[in-house]
Amino acid sequence: MPDSNRPPESAIECKNCALMLARIVYRRHWWFPLLREPLVAGMRLLAWWHRIDPYAYPVRNSECFGCLRFIKSELEVKSPLFRFLNGMIGDWFSALRNSRLTPEELAEAKRFAKESMKENP
């Protein structure tokens, strides 16, 4: 019998590597972590409240272990509060982050995410 607490491997599809993008912007703008880290802490708190374990997802790339994408995807299903807050600031935050990146960096994050999601031979 499958473990109902363990999410299926195909449940998440990454379109870009948000961690890669955040690291780049962190290096360039001292204030960006002051904006992002409270949001991350809020997501982790909501994940704890909803008993979401991002480390339960099997990953092909060690950089992806415990990724916030897993938390965000489950919160979108389980938390009306998260859906409300993400609806208010999610697009704004992504646009702010992306405006601090080059098109090449955005393309690299998309490529990395796509490669990380591929099946291993």
Side-chain angles (χ1 to χ4, degrees), residues 8-73:
E9 189 167 354
S10 62
I12 305 297
E13 183 177 333
C14 293
K15 296 178 184 161
N16 69 41
C17 181
L19 178 59
M20 177 186 287
L21 299 177
R23 285 177 178 165
I24 294 168
V25 180
Y26 275 24
R27 286 192 304 264
R28 288 189 189 143
H29 303 284
W30 64 268
W31 50 265
F32 190 72
L34 298 175
L35 218 60
R36 183 177 181 268
E37 290 303 318
L39 300 175
V40 170
M43 286 175 55
R44 291 192 189 283
L45 180 64
L46 283 172
W48 171 80
W49 181 261
H50 290 283
R51 294 184 174 93
I52 296 168
D53 181 8
Y55 299 99
Y57 283 85
V59 295
R60 294 181 189 90
N61 184 320
S62 62
E63 286 282 311
C64 302
F65 189 66
C67 181
L68 287 176
R69 169 62 53 207
F70 303 135
I71 292 174
K72 187 174 179 181
S73 293

Side-chain angles (χ1 to χ4, degrees), residues 65-85:
F65 189 66
C67 181
L68 287 176
R69 169 62 53 207
F70 303 135
I71 292 174
K72 187 174 179 181
S73 293
E74 283 199 52
L75 284 174
E76 287 174 347
V77 172
K78 296 179 178 179
S79 175
L81 175 60
F82 176 78
R83 286 191 300 273
F84 172 75
L85 294 172

